[in-house]
């Protein structure tokens, strides 16, 4: 075979290989994008943190999850939980009732990957009871509903169920994700949510957040 034809064939093979590589990257790209809304930058979060009202945490008296109507209908048959599961997962397939029947979910808090939606909880980054003690006790039911179903801010994320349950209503002075690589994002998200919703922080909470954000 003439040398020119050999080179031409090699170039064709290389071009095909490159095209397949690009196609592969495009096919897997959404996996990296499956996540809650990106929180503000560390620099902005530090500015927000400095602007938050610092005071002792309020009482849990009168608190009930029912005061924060959650998992409301978002679109068609899909409620907030199902919407977040579809958003945060990869190759998620839902049935006619919008329930996730297959897919893959990576839990940012602990680094675990799950293939059953039942293994995941939708965490309120700033827990409902934490919000109650930080100022939401004076909100209207409509405001609390908006907070509990906030898909615009980095407030809702699909994570391993028992990790979410262990977190409970603890603030960053008491709990941070075990996956240290995610702590900066978590702190940015926490401050972003508290700032947007005009919630207060206590001094220990502020110190913990400052420590994390200063290392971002």
């Amino acid at each position: 075979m003439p040398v020119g034809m050999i080179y031409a064939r090699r170039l064709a093979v290389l071009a095909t290989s490159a095209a397949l590589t690009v196609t592969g990257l495009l096919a897997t790209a959404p996996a990296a994008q499956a996540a809650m809304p990106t929180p503000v930058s560390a620099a902005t979060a530090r500015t927000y943190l400095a602007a938050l009202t610092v005071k002792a945490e309020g009482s849990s008296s009168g608190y009930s999850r029912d005061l924060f109507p959650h998992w409301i209908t978002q679109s068609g048959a899909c409620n907030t939980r199902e919407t977040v599961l579809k958003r945060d997962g990869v190759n998620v397939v839902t049935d006619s009732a919008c329930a996730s029947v297959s897919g893959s979910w990576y839990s940012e808090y602990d680094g675990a990957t799950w293939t059953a939606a039942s293994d995941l909880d939708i965490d309120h980054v700033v827990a409902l009871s934490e919000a109650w003690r930080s100022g939401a006790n004076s909100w209207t039911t409509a405001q609390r509903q908006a907070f509990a179903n906030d898909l615009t801010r980095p407030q809702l994320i699909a994570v391993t169920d028992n990790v979410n349950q262990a977190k409970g209503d603890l603030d960053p002075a008491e709990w941070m994700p075990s996956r240290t690589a995610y702590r900066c994002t978590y702190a940015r998200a926490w401050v972003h949510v508290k700032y947007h919703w005009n919630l207060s922080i206590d001094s220990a909470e502020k110190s913990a957040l400052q420590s994390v954000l200063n290392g971002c």
Side-chain angles (χ1 to χ4, degrees), residues 29-203:
Q33 297 167 9
M36 67 179 182
T38 303
V40 294
S41 68
T44 299
R46 286 191 287 269
T47 300
Y48 282 4
L49 183 60
L52 291 175
T53 298
V54 180
K55 65 179 184 180
E57 201 166 76
S59 169
S60 293
S61 178
Y63 168 74
S64 167
R65 284 180 69 86
D66 293 340
L67 295 171
F68 292 78
H70 52 290
W71 306 168
I72 61 171
T73 299
Q74 291 290 344
S75 177
C78 303
N79 67 23
T80 307
R81 171 183 164 82
E82 292 152 350
T83 300
V84 175
L85 282 172
K86 190 170 183 179
R87 182 198 71 190
D88 289 4
V90 178
N91 298 324
V92 177
V93 175
T94 56
D95 62 18
S96 59
C98 202
S100 298
V101 294
S102 66
S104 176
W105 292 268
Y106 178 75
S107 172
E108 294 282 9
Y109 288 0
D110 58 329
T113 298
W114 304 97
T115 55
S118 58
D119 288 320
L120 297 140
D121 277 355
I122 306 305
D123 180 43
H124 288 95
V125 171
V126 176
L128 304 182
S129 54
E130 163 70 21
W132 177 268
R133 297 190 300 269
S134 304
N137 61 321
S138 65
W139 291 354
T140 64
T141 299
Q143 285 175 303
R144 289 193 285 262
Q145 176 175 295
F147 176 81
N149 298 277
D150 188 356
L151 294 170
T152 305
R153 263 64 54 180
Q155 162 67 342
L156 298 170
I157 183 171
V159 295
T160 303
D161 54 5
N162 63 327
V163 171
N164 179 54
Q165 290 151 26
K167 173 193 169 184
D169 63 353
L170 303 178
D171 70 30
E174 304 158 316
W175 186 93
M176 289 291 287
S178 61
R179 184 169 161 259
T180 55
Y182 197 68
R183 289 181 179 177
C184 179
T185 303
Y186 184 80
R188 288 159 49 209
W190 184 280
V191 173
H192 186 159
V193 171
K194 281 226 162 174
Y195 181 85
H196 175 82
W197 290 97
N198 196 28
L199 295 168
S200 64
I201 54 172
D202 62 47
S203 57

